[in-house]
Coordinates of all heavy atoms in Angstrom, one line a residue:
A1 N -81.9 -227.2 -195.3 CA -83.1 -227.8 -195.9 C -83.8 -228.5 -194.8 O -83.3 -229.2 -193.9 CB -82.6 -228.8 -196.9
Y2 N -85.1 -228.3 -194.7 CA -86.0 -228.9 -193.8 C -87.0 -229.8 -194.5 O -88.1 -229.3 -194.9 CB -86.7 -227.9 -192.9 CG -85.8 -226.9 -192.2 CD1 -85.7 -225.6 -192.5 CD2 -85.0 -227.4 -191.1 CE1 -84.9 -224.8 -191.8 CE2 -84.1 -226.6 -190.5 CZ -84.1 -225.3 -190.8 OH -83.2 -224.4 -190.1
P3 N -86.8 -231.1 -194.7 CA -87.7 -231.9 -195.4 C -89.1 -231.9 -194.7 O -89.1 -232.0 -193.5 CB -87.0 -233.3 -195.4 CG -85.6 -233.0 -195.2 CD -85.5 -231.8 -194.4
A4 N -90.1 -231.9 -195.5 CA -91.5 -231.9 -194.9 C -91.7 -233.1 -194.1 O -92.5 -233.1 -193.1 CB -92.5 -231.7 -196.0
A5 N -91.1 -234.2 -194.5 CA -91.4 -235.5 -193.7 C -90.7 -235.5 -192.4 O -91.0 -236.3 -191.5 CB -90.8 -236.7 -194.5
V6 N -89.8 -234.6 -192.1 CA -89.1 -234.5 -190.9 C -89.4 -233.3 -190.0 O -89.6 -233.5 -188.8 CB -87.5 -234.5 -191.1 CG1 -86.8 -234.4 -189.8 CG2 -87.1 -235.8 -191.9
M7 N -89.7 -232.2 -190.6 CA -90.0 -231.0 -189.8 C -91.0 -230.2 -190.5 O -90.9 -229.9 -191.7 CB -88.7 -230.2 -189.6 CG -89.0 -228.9 -188.8 SD -87.5 -228.0 -188.6 CE -86.6 -229.0 -187.5
S8 N -92.0 -229.8 -189.8 CA -93.1 -228.9 -190.4 C -92.7 -227.5 -190.2 O -91.9 -227.2 -189.3 CB -94.4 -229.2 -189.8 OG -94.4 -228.9 -188.4
P9 N -93.2 -226.5 -191.0 CA -92.9 -225.1 -190.8 C -93.3 -224.6 -189.4 O -92.5 -223.8 -188.8 CB -93.7 -224.4 -191.8 CG -93.9 -225.4 -192.9 CD -94.0 -226.7 -192.2
S10 N -94.4 -225.1 -188.8 CA -94.8 -224.7 -187.5 C -93.8 -225.2 -186.4 O -93.5 -224.4 -185.5 CB -96.2 -225.2 -187.1 OG -96.2 -226.7 -187.2
D11 N -93.2 -226.4 -186.6 CA -92.2 -226.9 -185.7 C -91.0 -226.0 -185.7 O -90.3 -225.7 -184.7 CB -91.9 -228.3 -186.0 CG -91.0 -229.0 -184.9 OD1 -91.2 -228.6 -183.7 OD2 -90.2 -229.8 -185.3
T12 N -90.6 -225.6 -187.0 CA -89.4 -224.8 -187.1 C -89.6 -223.5 -186.4 O -88.7 -223.0 -185.7 CB -89.1 -224.5 -188.6 OG1 -89.0 -225.8 -189.3 CG2 -87.9 -223.8 -188.8
A13 N -90.7 -222.8 -186.6 CA -91.0 -221.5 -186.0 C -91.0 -221.6 -184.5 O -90.4 -220.8 -183.8 CB -92.3 -221.0 -186.4
A14 N -91.6 -222.7 -183.9 CA -91.6 -222.8 -182.5 C -90.2 -223.0 -181.9 O -89.9 -222.5 -180.9 CB -92.5 -224.0 -182.1
S15 N -89.4 -223.8 -182.6 CA -88.1 -224.1 -182.0 C -87.1 -222.9 -182.1 O -86.2 -222.8 -181.3 CB -87.4 -225.2 -182.8 OG -87.2 -224.9 -184.2
T16 N -87.4 -221.9 -183.0 CA -86.5 -220.8 -183.1 C -87.0 -219.6 -182.2 O -86.3 -218.6 -182.1 CB -86.4 -220.3 -184.5 OG1 -87.7 -220.0 -185.0 CG2 -85.8 -221.3 -185.4
T17 N -88.1 -219.7 -181.6 CA -88.6 -218.7 -180.7 C -88.4 -219.0 -179.2 O -88.3 -218.1 -178.4 CB -90.1 -218.4 -180.9 OG1 -90.8 -219.6 -180.8 CG2 -90.3 -217.8 -182.3
N18 N -88.3 -220.3 -178.9 CA -88.1 -220.6 -177.5 C -87.5 -222.0 -177.4 O -88.2 -223.0 -177.6 CB -89.5 -220.6 -176.8 CG -89.3 -220.6 -175.3 OD1 -88.3 -221.0 -174.8 ND2 -90.4 -220.2 -174.6
A19 N -86.3 -222.1 -177.1 CA -85.6 -223.4 -177.1 C -85.6 -224.1 -175.8 O -85.4 -225.3 -175.6 CB -84.1 -223.2 -177.6
D20 N -85.7 -223.3 -174.7 CA -85.5 -223.9 -173.4 C -86.6 -223.4 -172.4 O -86.4 -223.5 -171.2 CB -84.1 -223.5 -172.9 CG -83.5 -224.5 -172.0 OD1 -84.2 -225.6 -171.8 OD2 -82.4 -224.3 -171.4
G21 N -87.7 -222.9 -172.9 CA -88.7 -222.5 -171.9 C -88.4 -221.2 -171.2 O -89.1 -220.8 -170.3
G22 N -87.3 -220.6 -171.5 CA -86.9 -219.4 -170.7 C -86.4 -218.3 -171.7 O -87.2 -217.5 -172.3
E23 N -85.1 -218.2 -171.9 CA -84.5 -217.3 -172.8 C -85.0 -217.6 -174.3 O -85.2 -218.7 -174.6 CB -83.0 -217.3 -172.8 CG -82.4 -216.9 -171.5 CD -80.9 -216.9 -171.5 OE1 -80.3 -217.9 -172.0 OE2 -80.3 -216.0 -170.9
P24 N -85.1 -216.6 -175.1 CA -85.4 -216.8 -176.5 C -84.3 -217.5 -177.2 O -83.1 -217.3 -176.9 CB -85.6 -215.4 -177.1 CG -84.8 -214.5 -176.2 CD -85.0 -215.1 -174.8

């Protein structure tokens, strides 16, 4: 569960495509 008050959908998408600026 990702409460809207804590994480937005755009933040979720960004974090799952590039966690460390290098490898996906």
